[in-house]
Amino acid sequence: MEQDSQDTWRFNSSFHQPSAFLMLGIPGLEGLHPWISIPFCALYLTALLGNCMILFIIKKTQSLHEPMYYFLSMLAVTDVGLVLCTLPTTLGLLWFNLRSIGFDACLTQMYFIHILSFIESSVLLAMAFDRFIAISRPLRHPSILTKATVTKIGLAIVLRGMVSLLPIPFLLKRLTYCGKMELSHSFCFHPDIMNLACGDIKVNVFYGMIILLSTVGMDFIFIVLSYILIIKTVISLATKEECLKALNTCVSHICAVLVFFIPMIGLSMIHRFGKNVPPLVNTLVAYTYLIIPPALNPVIYSIKSSHIRGALLRALWRKSGADW
Protein backbone atom coordinates (compact mmCIF):
# COMPACT_ATOMS: atom_id res chain seq x y z
CA MET A 1 0.00 0.00 0.00
CA GLU A 2 2.86 2.34 0.95
CA GLN A 3 4.62 1.47 -2.33
CA ASP A 4 1.44 2.30 -4.31
CA SER A 5 1.24 5.70 -2.57
CA GLN A 6 4.85 6.45 -3.45
CA ASP A 7 4.24 5.43 -7.08
CA THR A 8 1.12 7.60 -7.28
CA TRP A 9 3.01 10.60 -5.86
CA ARG A 10 5.92 10.00 -8.21
CA PHE A 11 3.78 9.65 -11.34
CA ASN A 12 1.32 12.49 -10.64
CA SER A 13 3.86 15.30 -10.80
CA SER A 14 4.49 17.55 -13.79
CA PHE A 15 7.67 17.11 -15.82
CA HIS A 16 9.05 18.41 -19.09
CA GLN A 17 10.25 14.82 -19.50
CA PRO A 18 9.14 12.26 -16.89
CA SER A 19 11.77 9.86 -15.59
CA ALA A 20 9.48 6.90 -16.26
CA PHE A 21 6.01 5.73 -17.23
CA LEU A 22 3.81 3.15 -15.52
CA MET A 23 2.59 0.33 -17.75
CA LEU A 24 -0.80 -1.35 -17.38
CA GLY A 25 -1.61 -5.04 -17.66
CA ILE A 26 -5.13 -6.41 -18.13
CA PRO A 27 -7.53 -3.87 -16.52
CA GLY A 28 -9.61 -5.36 -13.74
CA LEU A 29 -7.77 -8.69 -13.86
CA GLU A 30 -4.53 -7.73 -12.10
CA GLY A 31 -4.89 -10.55 -9.59
CA LEU A 32 -4.98 -13.10 -12.41
CA HIS A 33 -1.84 -11.89 -14.19
CA PRO A 34 0.23 -15.04 -13.40
CA TRP A 35 -2.51 -17.21 -14.95
CA ILE A 36 -3.04 -14.84 -17.88
CA SER A 37 0.70 -15.10 -18.61
CA ILE A 38 0.25 -18.78 -19.63
CA PRO A 39 -1.56 -18.09 -22.95
CA PHE A 40 0.80 -15.16 -23.55
CA CYS A 41 3.80 -17.47 -23.13
CA ALA A 42 2.19 -19.99 -25.49
CA LEU A 43 1.62 -17.30 -28.14
CA TYR A 44 5.15 -15.88 -27.79
CA LEU A 45 6.66 -19.37 -27.98
CA THR A 46 4.55 -20.24 -31.04
CA ALA A 47 5.60 -17.00 -32.74
CA LEU A 48 9.31 -17.44 -32.03
CA LEU A 49 9.53 -21.14 -32.85
CA GLY A 50 7.18 -20.91 -35.84
CA ASN A 51 8.93 -17.99 -37.52
CA CYS A 52 12.40 -19.37 -36.82
CA MET A 53 11.24 -22.68 -38.34
CA ILE A 54 10.02 -20.86 -41.47
CA LEU A 55 13.40 -19.10 -41.80
CA PHE A 56 15.31 -22.33 -41.29
CA ILE A 57 13.24 -24.26 -43.85
CA ILE A 58 13.54 -21.54 -46.51
CA LYS A 59 17.30 -21.25 -45.94
CA LYS A 60 17.88 -25.01 -46.17
CA THR A 61 15.48 -25.80 -49.05
CA GLN A 62 16.91 -24.78 -52.42
CA SER A 63 13.53 -25.06 -54.19
CA LEU A 64 12.14 -22.32 -51.88
CA HIS A 65 14.72 -19.76 -53.00
CA GLU A 66 12.08 -17.81 -54.92
CA PRO A 67 10.66 -14.25 -54.54
CA MET A 68 7.53 -15.43 -52.71
CA TYR A 69 9.59 -17.17 -50.03
CA TYR A 70 12.16 -14.36 -49.80
CA PHE A 71 9.28 -12.03 -48.91
CA LEU A 72 7.95 -14.65 -46.49
CA SER A 73 11.40 -14.65 -44.84
CA MET A 74 11.17 -10.86 -44.45
CA LEU A 75 7.74 -11.28 -42.86
CA ALA A 76 9.10 -13.91 -40.45
CA VAL A 77 12.06 -11.71 -39.42
CA THR A 78 9.68 -8.78 -38.85
CA ASP A 79 7.38 -10.95 -36.71
CA VAL A 80 10.32 -12.15 -34.59
CA GLY A 81 11.31 -8.50 -34.10
CA LEU A 82 7.78 -7.53 -33.01
CA VAL A 83 7.70 -10.39 -30.50
CA LEU A 84 11.08 -9.45 -29.03
CA CYS A 85 9.99 -5.80 -28.70
CA THR A 86 6.99 -6.52 -26.46
CA LEU A 87 7.96 -9.80 -24.75
CA PRO A 88 10.25 -8.37 -21.99
CA THR A 89 7.83 -5.69 -20.75
CA THR A 90 4.67 -7.81 -21.11
CA LEU A 91 5.99 -10.88 -19.31
CA GLY A 92 7.87 -8.71 -16.80
CA LEU A 93 4.58 -7.08 -15.87
CA LEU A 94 2.52 -10.30 -15.83
CA TRP A 95 5.10 -12.33 -13.88
CA PHE A 96 6.79 -9.80 -11.58
CA ASN A 97 4.49 -6.73 -11.72
CA LEU A 98 7.34 -4.64 -13.18
CA ARG A 99 5.27 -1.65 -14.25
CA SER A 100 7.89 1.08 -14.58
CA ILE A 101 9.70 1.80 -17.85
CA GLY A 102 12.17 4.65 -18.34
CA PHE A 103 11.21 7.53 -20.61
CA ASP A 104 14.00 6.96 -23.16
CA ALA A 105 13.52 3.17 -23.04
CA CYS A 106 9.80 3.69 -23.72
CA LEU A 107 10.51 5.91 -26.75
CA THR A 108 12.99 3.34 -28.07
CA GLN A 109 10.49 0.50 -27.70
CA MET A 110 7.75 2.60 -29.31
CA TYR A 111 10.02 3.49 -32.26
CA PHE A 112 10.88 -0.14 -33.01
CA ILE A 113 7.29 -1.36 -32.56
CA HIS A 114 6.05 1.18 -35.09
CA ILE A 115 8.95 0.61 -37.51
CA LEU A 116 8.35 -3.15 -37.50
CA SER A 117 4.58 -2.64 -37.94
CA PHE A 118 5.22 -0.38 -40.95
CA ILE A 119 7.72 -2.90 -42.35
CA GLU A 120 5.18 -5.71 -41.98
CA SER A 121 2.59 -3.66 -43.84
CA SER A 122 5.07 -2.97 -46.67
CA VAL A 123 6.16 -6.62 -46.88
CA LEU A 124 2.51 -7.67 -47.22
CA LEU A 125 2.22 -5.18 -50.10
CA ALA A 126 5.36 -6.60 -51.73
CA MET A 127 3.89 -10.10 -51.38
CA ALA A 128 0.67 -8.93 -53.06
CA PHE A 129 2.73 -7.50 -55.93
CA ASP A 130 4.60 -10.81 -56.19
CA ARG A 131 1.33 -12.74 -56.41
CA PHE A 132 0.02 -10.37 -59.10
CA ILE A 133 3.17 -10.77 -61.25
CA ALA A 134 3.19 -14.56 -60.72
CA ILE A 135 -0.44 -14.89 -61.89
CA SER A 136 -0.56 -12.26 -64.65
CA ARG A 137 3.00 -12.67 -66.02
CA PRO A 138 4.07 -16.20 -65.00
CA LEU A 139 6.77 -16.51 -67.67
CA ARG A 140 8.34 -13.14 -66.86
CA HIS A 141 8.00 -13.50 -63.08
CA PRO A 142 11.59 -14.75 -62.46
CA SER A 143 13.10 -12.03 -64.65
CA ILE A 144 11.03 -9.22 -63.08
CA LEU A 145 11.54 -10.21 -59.42
CA THR A 146 15.19 -11.22 -59.45
CA LYS A 147 17.15 -11.76 -56.23
CA ALA A 148 18.73 -8.30 -56.62
CA THR A 149 15.31 -6.68 -57.11
CA VAL A 150 13.89 -8.41 -54.03
CA THR A 151 16.90 -7.22 -51.98
CA LYS A 152 16.39 -3.62 -53.17
CA ILE A 153 12.68 -3.82 -52.29
CA GLY A 154 13.58 -5.11 -48.81
CA LEU A 155 16.10 -2.29 -48.23
CA ALA A 156 13.60 0.32 -49.48
CA ILE A 157 10.95 -1.05 -47.08
CA VAL A 158 13.28 -0.81 -44.06
CA LEU A 159 14.52 2.66 -45.08
CA ARG A 160 10.99 3.98 -45.54
CA GLY A 161 9.97 2.81 -42.07
CA MET A 162 13.07 4.20 -40.35
CA VAL A 163 13.01 7.63 -42.06
CA SER A 164 9.26 8.25 -41.85
CA LEU A 165 9.16 7.50 -38.10
CA LEU A 166 12.45 9.16 -37.12
CA PRO A 167 10.81 12.50 -36.07
CA ILE A 168 8.28 10.80 -33.75
CA PRO A 169 10.58 10.36 -30.68
CA PHE A 170 11.81 13.97 -31.00
CA LEU A 171 8.25 15.27 -31.29
CA LEU A 172 7.40 13.41 -28.06
CA LYS A 173 10.54 14.66 -26.29
CA ARG A 174 9.56 18.31 -26.83
CA LEU A 175 6.24 17.87 -24.97
CA THR A 176 5.56 18.59 -21.30
CA TYR A 177 3.94 15.72 -19.40
CA CYS A 178 1.70 15.98 -16.34
CA GLY A 179 -0.83 13.98 -14.37
CA LYS A 180 -0.57 10.26 -13.76
CA MET A 181 2.08 8.85 -16.11
CA GLU A 182 0.18 5.62 -16.75
CA LEU A 183 0.14 3.93 -20.16
CA SER A 184 -2.79 1.87 -21.43
CA HIS A 185 -0.69 -1.21 -22.27
CA SER A 186 2.35 -3.22 -21.22
CA PHE A 187 4.29 -1.63 -24.09
CA CYS A 188 4.77 1.89 -25.46
CA PHE A 189 2.52 3.12 -28.27
CA HIS A 190 2.74 6.59 -29.87
CA PRO A 191 -0.90 7.76 -29.35
CA ASP A 192 -0.77 6.43 -25.78
CA ILE A 193 2.35 8.45 -24.85
CA MET A 194 1.14 11.51 -26.74
CA ASN A 195 -2.15 11.63 -24.82
CA LEU A 196 -0.27 11.91 -21.50
CA ALA A 197 1.10 15.33 -22.49
CA CYS A 198 -0.51 18.44 -21.04
CA GLY A 199 0.67 20.75 -23.82
CA ASP A 200 -0.43 21.22 -27.43
CA ILE A 201 -0.16 17.93 -29.32
CA LYS A 202 -1.60 19.09 -32.67
CA VAL A 203 1.76 18.64 -34.45
CA ASN A 204 2.08 15.08 -33.11
CA VAL A 205 -1.51 14.22 -34.10
CA PHE A 206 -1.12 15.72 -37.57
CA TYR A 207 2.25 14.12 -38.29
CA GLY A 208 1.16 10.74 -36.92
CA MET A 209 -1.99 10.78 -39.06
CA ILE A 210 -0.12 11.84 -42.23
CA ILE A 211 2.54 9.13 -41.77
CA LEU A 212 -0.05 6.44 -41.02
CA LEU A 213 -2.15 7.30 -44.06
CA SER A 214 0.81 7.72 -46.43
CA THR A 215 2.44 4.42 -45.43
CA VAL A 216 0.12 1.79 -43.95
CA GLY A 217 -2.96 3.40 -45.51
CA MET A 218 -1.43 3.45 -49.00
CA ASP A 219 -0.09 -0.10 -48.53
CA PHE A 220 -3.61 -1.34 -47.78
CA ILE A 221 -5.08 0.48 -50.79
CA PHE A 222 -2.44 -0.96 -53.13
CA ILE A 223 -2.98 -4.47 -51.70
CA VAL A 224 -6.69 -4.15 -52.48
CA LEU A 225 -5.90 -2.88 -56.00
CA SER A 226 -3.49 -5.79 -56.51
CA TYR A 227 -6.24 -8.26 -55.68
CA ILE A 228 -8.71 -6.50 -57.97
CA LEU A 229 -6.19 -6.95 -60.81
CA ILE A 230 -5.53 -10.56 -59.74
CA ILE A 231 -9.28 -11.33 -59.83
CA LYS A 232 -9.56 -9.74 -63.29
CA THR A 233 -6.66 -11.88 -64.50
CA VAL A 234 -8.04 -15.06 -62.92
CA ILE A 235 -11.50 -14.53 -64.47
CA SER A 236 -9.87 -14.45 -67.90
CA LEU A 237 -8.29 -17.89 -67.40
CA ALA A 238 -9.65 -20.71 -69.57
CA THR A 239 -10.87 -23.25 -67.02
CA LYS A 240 -12.33 -23.29 -63.53
CA GLU A 241 -9.46 -25.51 -62.33
CA GLU A 242 -6.90 -22.90 -63.43
CA CYS A 243 -8.88 -20.18 -61.65
CA LEU A 244 -8.99 -22.12 -58.38
CA LYS A 245 -5.32 -23.07 -58.62
CA ALA A 246 -4.32 -19.42 -59.14
CA LEU A 247 -6.49 -18.16 -56.28
CA ASN A 248 -5.28 -20.93 -53.97
CA THR A 249 -1.75 -19.47 -54.12
CA CYS A 250 -3.17 -16.26 -52.59
CA VAL A 251 -5.13 -17.72 -49.66
CA SER A 252 -2.24 -17.63 -47.16
CA HIS A 253 -1.42 -14.04 -48.06
CA ILE A 254 -5.05 -12.92 -47.80
CA CYS A 255 -5.26 -14.49 -44.30
CA ALA A 256 -2.03 -12.73 -43.25
CA VAL A 257 -3.35 -9.39 -44.54
CA LEU A 258 -6.64 -9.73 -42.64
CA VAL A 259 -4.93 -10.88 -39.42
CA PHE A 260 -2.61 -7.85 -39.52
CA PHE A 261 -4.78 -5.00 -40.82
CA ILE A 262 -8.09 -5.63 -38.99
CA PRO A 263 -6.70 -5.24 -35.42
CA MET A 264 -4.33 -2.46 -36.55
CA ILE A 265 -7.19 -0.39 -37.98
CA GLY A 266 -9.26 -1.17 -34.88
CA LEU A 267 -6.53 -0.03 -32.50
CA SER A 268 -5.90 3.18 -34.47
CA MET A 269 -9.61 4.02 -34.43
CA ILE A 270 -9.86 3.33 -30.68
CA HIS A 271 -6.89 5.59 -29.84
CA ARG A 272 -8.16 8.44 -31.97
CA PHE A 273 -11.95 8.29 -31.59
CA GLY A 274 -12.81 5.70 -28.91
CA LYS A 275 -12.74 7.83 -25.78
CA ASN A 276 -15.62 5.87 -24.26
CA VAL A 277 -14.35 2.40 -25.21
CA PRO A 278 -13.82 0.21 -22.09
CA PRO A 279 -10.10 -0.13 -21.19
CA LEU A 280 -10.35 -3.92 -21.41
CA VAL A 281 -11.44 -3.74 -25.08
CA ASN A 282 -8.58 -1.33 -25.86
CA THR A 283 -6.10 -3.69 -24.20
CA LEU A 284 -7.38 -6.82 -25.95
CA VAL A 285 -7.30 -5.17 -29.39
CA ALA A 286 -3.73 -3.97 -28.75
CA TYR A 287 -2.52 -7.44 -27.77
CA THR A 288 -4.36 -8.96 -30.75
CA TYR A 289 -2.58 -6.52 -33.05
CA LEU A 290 0.94 -7.16 -31.74
CA ILE A 291 0.92 -10.81 -30.66
CA ILE A 292 -1.63 -12.71 -32.77
CA PRO A 293 -0.20 -12.00 -36.29
CA PRO A 294 3.36 -13.17 -35.43
CA ALA A 295 1.92 -16.34 -33.87
CA LEU A 296 -0.58 -17.09 -36.66
CA ASN A 297 1.49 -16.25 -39.76
CA PRO A 298 3.79 -19.32 -39.57
CA VAL A 299 0.77 -21.53 -38.82
CA ILE A 300 -1.15 -20.11 -41.81
CA TYR A 301 1.76 -20.59 -44.21
CA SER A 302 2.61 -24.05 -42.86
CA ILE A 303 -0.97 -25.24 -43.38
CA LYS A 304 -1.76 -23.57 -46.73
CA SER A 305 1.62 -23.73 -48.51
CA SER A 306 2.27 -27.25 -49.79
CA HIS A 307 5.94 -26.35 -50.42
CA ILE A 308 6.52 -25.18 -46.83
CA ARG A 309 4.54 -28.11 -45.45
CA GLY A 310 6.44 -30.60 -47.60
CA ALA A 311 9.84 -29.13 -46.62
CA LEU A 312 8.84 -29.23 -42.94
CA LEU A 313 7.76 -32.87 -43.15
CA ARG A 314 11.00 -33.80 -44.93
CA ALA A 315 13.03 -32.03 -42.23
CA LEU A 316 11.12 -33.85 -39.47
CA TRP A 317 11.51 -37.16 -41.31
CA ARG A 318 15.27 -36.67 -41.61
CA LYS A 319 15.43 -35.72 -37.90
CA SER A 320 13.47 -38.81 -36.80
CA GLY A 321 15.56 -40.98 -39.12
CA ALA A 322 18.77 -39.59 -37.63
CA ASP A 323 17.48 -40.26 -34.10
CA TRP A 324 16.78 -43.87 -35.00
Side-chain angles (χ1 to χ4, degrees):
M1 193 72 179
E2 185 180 345
Q3 181 64 36
D4 289 343
S5 303
Q6 290 173 356
D7 282 342
T8 304
W9 177 85
R10 180 183 172 192
F11 289 95
N12 271 293
S13 303
S14 177
F15 303 94
H16 176 61
Q17 286 182 14
S19 59
F21 292 114
L22 282 176
M23 296 179 294
L24 189 67
I26 311 295
L29 300 174
E30 288 80 4
L32 297 175
H33 276 176
W35 293 103
I36 293 171
S37 71
I38 295 173
F40 275 84
C41 288
L43 287 170
Y44 278 131
L45 195 61
T46 301
L48 289 172
L49 292 179
N51 285 293
C52 289
M53 178 199 70
I54 293 284
L55 291 169
F56 176 78
I57 287 172
I58 292 173
K59 184 179 187 314
K60 292 294 183 181
T61 309
Q62 192 66 35
S63 62
L64 299 183
H65 291 183
E66 298 176 359
M68 175 182 174
Y69 297 103
Y70 290 143
F71 289 128
L72 180 56
S73 297
M74 294 180 199
L75 189 69
V77 169
T78 306
D79 283 339
V80 169
L82 272 173
V83 167
L84 294 178
C85 276
T86 60
L87 185 150
T89 51
T90 300
L91 293 186
L93 191 150
L94 294 176
W95 282 347
F96 309 112
N97 199 33
L98 299 175
R99 297 185 62 199
S100 178
I101 182 170
F103 181 73
D104 289 329
C106 187
L107 293 189
T108 302
Q109 185 192 47
M110 174 215 71
Y111 181 63
F112 281 104
I113 285 174
H114 286 294
I115 279 181
L116 291 165
S117 296
F118 280 28
I119 289 173
E120 180 138 354
S121 168
S122 301
V123 170
L124 289 170
L125 172 60
M127 294 173 84
F129 177 69
D130 169 69
R131 289 298 84 212
F132 169 64
I133 297 296
I135 291 171
S136 63
R137 302 283 189 275
L139 297 179
R140 295 186 58 199
H141 180 243
S143 60
I144 293 173
L145 286 174
T146 62
K147 199 170 183 178
T149 303
V150 171
T151 302
K152 289 174 185 175
I153 291 172
L155 290 173
I157 286 171
V158 173
L159 194 62
R160 184 181 79 151
M162 291 177 66
V163 172
S164 62
L165 288 166
L166 191 60
I168 294 290
F170 299 102
L171 288 173
L172 290 171
K173 272 180 172 284
R174 72 180 180 86
L175 297 173
T176 299
Y177 296 85
C178 55
K180 194 172 184 180
M181 297 291 100
E182 189 171 79
L183 302 170
S184 303
H185 315 295
S186 60
F187 54 85
C188 298
F189 198 64
H190 174 239
D192 208 14
I193 302 171
M194 178 179 67
N195 289 331
L196 295 176
C198 49
D200 187 1
I201 60 171
K202 287 179 183 175
V203 174
N204 295 68
V205 172
F206 180 75
Y207 186 78
M209 185 66 74
I210 291 296
I211 290 300
L212 187 65
L213 292 175
S214 63
T215 53
V216 177
M218 293 304 294
D219 290 345
F220 184 72
I221 289 170
F222 282 123
I223 288 171
V224 172
L225 288 175
S226 296
Y227 274 100
I228 291 172
L229 294 173
I230 286 171
I231 290 169
K232 283 182 66 177
T233 304
V234 167
I235 290 172
S236 67
L237 294 175
T239 65
K240 185 179 179 181
E241 289 73 18
E242 287 178 328
C243 290
L244 293 174
K245 186 178 179 182
L247 287 174
N248 192 49
T249 64
C250 302
V251 172
S252 300
H253 180 254
I254 292 170
C255 291
V257 167
L258 294 176
V259 164
F260 176 76
F261 278 101
I262 289 175
M264 185 185 202
I265 292 169
L267 185 61
S268 298
M269 297 295 286
I270 286 172
H271 272 288
R272 281 166 177 80
F273 309 112
K275 301 297 182 185
N276 298 320
V277 173
L280 183 59
V281 173
N282 184 7
T283 301
L284 292 177
V285 173
Y287 285 128
T288 301
Y289 161 53
L290 284 178
I291 300 176
I292 298 299
L296 281 188
N297 283 340
V299 175
I300 290 168
Y301 277 93
S302 297
I303 292 172
K304 289 303 299 177
S305 172
S306 58
H307 295 93
I308 292 283
R309 191 169 63 250
L312 175 60
L313 291 173
R314 285 193 297 272
L316 292 173
W317 181 261
R318 284 197 297 270
K319 179 70 170 63
S320 61
D323 290 342
W324 280 100

